[in-house]
Amino acid sequence: MLIPFLLVHVVWWTAFIRWDSWHKFTDKVGQMDKYKHLLRSDVKPWYMSVTMVFGSMVAGMTSEGGASVAFPVMTLAMDAKPHVAKQFSYMIQSVGMTAAAFVILYMQVRVEWKSITYCSIGGMVGLIYGLEEIAPVLTPPYAKMYFVVIWGSFAASLYYLNRIHGRKVYLVLDPKHLPEIWKSADLTPYWWANLVLNWKALVLLAAGFIGGIFTSFAGSGIDICSFSVLTLLFAGLIAFYIFQLAGEKLMERNARIEKEVLGDGDPGDVEVAEKAADDESPVSAVVVAPGI
């Protein structure tokens, strides 16, 4: 974690000392001619430094980026234009999220690569479409309103999840020891077509596309959509499929015992057959599903 921290600070301190930019913390940018139509007249740059202290905390503790704090503070408290807040969010997240990505990869933190891949592809398309078609025609009041609606929906979803105590959670969508979980969503018999024609993949693509549109006018959105889909939809579906698979294994186990032992009319061998069946097909490994 110290590597990106030191890199960013070395660059930042070097630039400020080299060009003697300390006055930028005290200038009232809102009173400058080129900025007065974009910000309140009493806004000072150090306000954003304080804001992003909390923004970085939120970004570190949740699945959201710093824009989740920067955008509402700039648009609602500082009267900044939504497109200015959006551009600031892009810039600040390009540093913070790149540093976070480096730490995640360097420390080999487990991530869900299928979600990252499909949501990123859908998000790129949605972001381009949103920047070209939606953001230019969206008025500032509507941009603020949509941001509040998106975040309100996310907050409600998170509250709902936190009210479910003792729920089963999983680390990946496609565990290596249970490949049937992902393959069960295939829509064709061809593996190359199922790279896209898999309903779970299509859901992730759609979530990324919608999130990209949100990002085009609010600076953040793909993270909210992907997080909501993974936690609300797929967690429940994976749990359902695991228990369904466990039931099938139990039925197979009982059928094997009945065929091998009871069919021969020797009930005394039931215990031996049960142990052998458990060794061949351990149902507990399916129910507990370690590593998911």
Side-chain angles (χ1 to χ4, degrees):
M1 296 181 67
L2 287 177
I3 296 176
F5 174 84
L6 291 175
L7 177 62
V8 171
H9 273 270
V10 167
V11 173
W12 189 92
W13 286 98
T14 301
F16 262 66
I17 293 173
R18 169 64 178 80
W19 286 285
D20 191 22
S21 302
W22 307 106
H23 63 89
K24 293 183 178 180
F25 282 98
T26 57
D27 292 341
K28 292 185 177 181
V29 292
Q31 294 180 357
M32 300 179 183
D33 290 339
K34 62 179 179 179
Y35 297 126
K36 64 182 180 181
H37 65 290
L38 300 175
L39 293 167
R40 267 175 32 189
S41 60
D42 58 343
V43 171
K44 296 181 180 180
W46 64 266
Y47 293 176
M48 286 310 303
S49 299
V50 176
T51 299
M52 291 317 299
V53 169
F54 298 97
S56 60
M57 290 181 182
V58 171
M61 293 185 298
T62 70
S63 61
E64 313 314 312
S68 59
V69 174
F71 189 87
V73 169
M74 292 186 71
T75 56
L76 301 178
M78 299 181 181
D79 290 337
K81 301 296 183 183
H83 73 274
V84 175
K86 175 187 67 177
Q87 292 162 5
F88 173 83
S89 299
Y90 289 161
M91 291 297 295
I92 199 68
Q93 289 177 147
S94 67
V95 177
M97 287 190 170
T98 301
F102 173 83
V103 171
I104 290 171
L105 295 176
Y106 183 80
M107 296 181 65
Q108 298 182 351
V109 177
R110 185 195 292 267
V111 295
E112 175 41 62
W113 284 109
K114 275 190 167 58
S115 174
I116 293 175
T117 302
Y118 287 111
C119 286
S120 296
I121 294 173
M124 287 187 289
V125 177
L127 180 60
I128 295 172
Y129 175 77
L131 289 173
E132 292 292 332
E133 301 294 336
I134 296 179
V137 300
L138 199 63
T139 60
Y142 276 97
K144 298 177 185 179
M145 180 181 67
Y146 289 146
F147 179 86
V148 172
V149 170
I150 296 167
W151 256 95
S153 302
F154 172 73
S157 301
L158 197 59
Y159 175 79
Y160 168 76
L161 282 177
N162 289 333
R163 297 291 294 176
I164 305 176
H165 302 292
R167 69 184 186 278
K168 180 68 176 178
V169 294
Y170 307 92
L171 299 179
V172 293
L173 290 175
D174 186 16
K176 293 181 179 179
H177 64 290
L178 290 175
E180 299 90 348
I181 290 179
W182 182 265
K183 290 182 179 180
S184 65
D186 289 344
L187 301 178
T188 73
Y190 308 105
W191 68 267
W192 50 269
N194 290 328
L195 294 175
V196 176
L197 297 178
N198 177 295
W199 73 260
K200 294 180 181 179
L202 294 175
V203 169
L204 292 173
L205 285 171
F209 180 79
I210 296 172
I213 294 177
F214 292 161
T215 303
S216 69
F217 62 82
S220 177
I222 300 177
D223 42 15
I224 294 177
C225 290
S226 61
F227 178 86
S228 300
V229 168
L230 289 175
T231 55
L232 292 176
L233 176 62
F234 286 130
L237 287 175
I238 292 176
F240 171 79
Y241 189 81
I242 286 175
F243 284 108
Q244 183 185 33
L245 189 60
E248 293 175 356
K249 295 293 184 181
L250 281 171
M251 293 177 65
E252 292 175 4
R253 171 181 176 274
N254 293 337
R256 188 181 304 115
I257 293 172
E258 181 178 357
K259 180 179 179 180
E260 295 179 359
V261 179
L262 299 183
D264 297 333
D266 189 1
D269 292 337
V270 172
E271 184 176 350
V272 177
E274 286 180 347
K275 187 178 184 305
D278 289 339
D279 291 338
E280 293 176 8
S281 178
V283 178
S284 59
V286 180
V287 177
V288 178
I292 294 184

